[in-house]
Amino acid sequence: MSIRAWVNALRDAIRSITHSTLMSVASTASVAVSLLVLAVMLLLALNLEYMAASVESQVEVRAYICAPYADEPVCKKQEPTAEQKQVLVNQIAALPGVAKATYVSKEQALNELKKLYPEDSAIMEGYEGAENPLFDSVLIQVKDATQIKPVAEAVQPMKGIRKVNWGQDWVDKLTTVTHAVRLTGIGLVLLLVVATVLTISNTIRLAVFARRREIAIMKLVGATDWYIRRPFMLEGIILGLVGSGVALGGVAFGYAKVEAYVRTAVFPIIPAQELMPGLTVSLLLLGTALGAIGSIVSVRKFLKV
């Protein structure tokens, strides 16, 4: 297929767009609105997933180390040596699902309490040194919230561990909520994809229907199906690109405003510089593909003369 044929088809497509200004604007607006709604829902779903993952990453398991004053029978009123504590931390860090294991001394734990409750710091100063009733511990960060329970169950029987605290009820509720958030986001995006395809396809079908007599005449004088279809396909691509560009501009402007506002709050969202490049490529490709496919499918009916 020659380049000249494509150039002629492109010229015909541009001429059609400029001659049918109202229909072209309507088609472009339909593409833009459909893709804008789809992009907004996609951004919402991605950020809900990001928030859920952020919350899950903050869930920690804390394993308390035995001390002479521990009441648990497993400790036998003994405390592991410094070397044994380090071995214990290394064993925990090597467990499947563990992202990081950090040793926290009872002195560090007391200092954390002072920072957390500054109004009681004077009282806590009386517990420094030998009077410190806290326990050394290992702070465990897991790779995934689903790993919390298996990791806690693996750490509990380790020699030198008096107990493991991981908030089972709270973690179970968190896992349920984040799972529901993910499923809801995926479902909304899929529904919007289907709605967008149907809307754009119907819009392009109306544009093709308005030129059905022209298609019938070209078919009767011997033009091939591909010759007739090519300008419509290029027209659909152009309209899809313009519509996706308009949608992209609206999304970029709106997301920048939302990001500036949300950054001052406590909600974590995906930074625009990380999100927009992928979204730009996706919207442009989607607009191009929908425009081309919609035109090809819509013109097929009128080729049967």
Side-chain angles (χ1 to χ4, degrees):
M1 191 174 298
S2 66
I3 297 177
R4 183 179 180 82
W6 281 104
V7 171
N8 291 335
L10 180 60
R11 186 175 60 246
D12 292 341
I14 295 174
R15 185 186 300 117
S16 174
I17 292 173
T18 55
H19 286 180
S20 305
T21 307
L22 184 61
M23 183 63 71
S24 298
V25 171
S27 300
T28 302
S30 176
V31 173
V33 171
S34 299
L35 291 180
L36 180 62
V37 174
L38 176 61
V40 169
M41 293 306 303
L42 180 60
L43 288 175
L44 180 60
L46 289 173
N47 278 286
L48 286 175
E49 167 66 22
Y50 183 78
M51 291 179 188
S54 178
V55 171
E56 287 181 347
S57 67
Q58 297 176 22
V59 178
E60 298 171 330
V61 178
R62 190 177 288 267
Y64 294 94
I65 299 175
C66 288
Y69 44 86
D71 295 330
E72 288 78 8
V74 69
C75 291
K76 300 178 181 179
K77 302 296 182 179
Q78 295 179 354
E79 181 177 2
T81 64
E83 291 77 10
Q84 290 172 333
K85 291 178 183 177
Q86 186 58 51
V87 170
L88 192 58
V89 172
N90 294 338
Q91 288 176 343
I92 294 174
L95 288 174
V98 174
K100 185 179 180 181
T102 306
Y103 174 74
V104 180
S105 67
K106 60 182 181 181
E107 290 78 19
Q108 289 174 309
L110 184 60
N111 290 331
E112 290 176 3
L113 283 177
K114 288 180 180 179
K115 293 178 182 179
L116 190 60
Y117 303 103
E119 66 278 6
D120 297 326
S121 59
I123 299 175
M124 295 180 190
E125 287 178 0
Y127 293 107
E128 294 180 351
E131 301 298 325
N132 191 335
L134 301 178
F135 293 87
D136 297 333
S137 62
V138 181
L139 191 60
I140 308 166
Q141 295 177 336
V142 295
K143 297 177 181 178
D144 188 283
T146 58
Q147 300 293 326
I148 293 176
K149 185 175 180 180
V151 168
E153 292 176 344
V155 172
Q156 182 63 74
M158 287 185 176
K159 186 177 180 181
I161 297 296
R162 56 181 291 266
K163 72 173 183 177
V164 177
N165 186 4
W166 56 286
Q168 180 176 2
D169 294 338
W170 185 83
V171 171
D172 289 343
K173 291 178 181 178
L174 173 64
T175 304
T176 301
V177 171
T178 54
H179 183 66
V181 166
R182 290 187 175 100
L183 289 179
T184 302
I186 293 172
L188 288 175
V189 169
L190 290 178
L191 286 175
L192 260 296
V193 167
V194 173
T196 301
V197 171
L198 292 176
T199 301
I200 294 176
S201 178
N202 287 333
T203 301
I204 295 176
R205 185 176 291 111
L206 289 175
V208 175
F209 181 78
R211 299 168 59 188
R212 64 191 183 281
R213 298 179 69 180
E214 176 185 343
I215 296 173
I217 293 173
M218 294 175 65
K219 184 70 174 177
L220 289 173
V221 298
T224 63
D225 289 351
W226 182 240
Y227 180 86
I228 298 172
R229 185 183 291 121
R230 188 164 45 203
F232 286 101
M233 184 187 72
L234 291 177
E235 183 177 344
I237 289 174
I238 293 172
L239 295 178
L241 274 175
V242 175
S244 58
V246 173
L248 186 62
V251 168
F253 177 79
Y255 194 78
K257 294 292 185 182
V258 171
E259 184 183 18
Y261 174 77
V262 174
R263 287 296 178 195
T264 61
V266 296
F267 302 106
I269 66 170
I270 306 175
Q273 61 268 24
E274 296 181 11
L275 189 61
M276 293 312 298
L279 184 65
T280 299
V281 174
S282 299
L283 275 185
L284 292 177
L285 289 177
L286 184 60
T288 301
L290 289 177
I293 294 171
S295 296
I296 292 173
V297 172
S298 299
V299 80
R300 181 185 303 170
K301 175 184 177 180
F302 303 103
L303 291 175
K304 299 176 181 179
V305 178

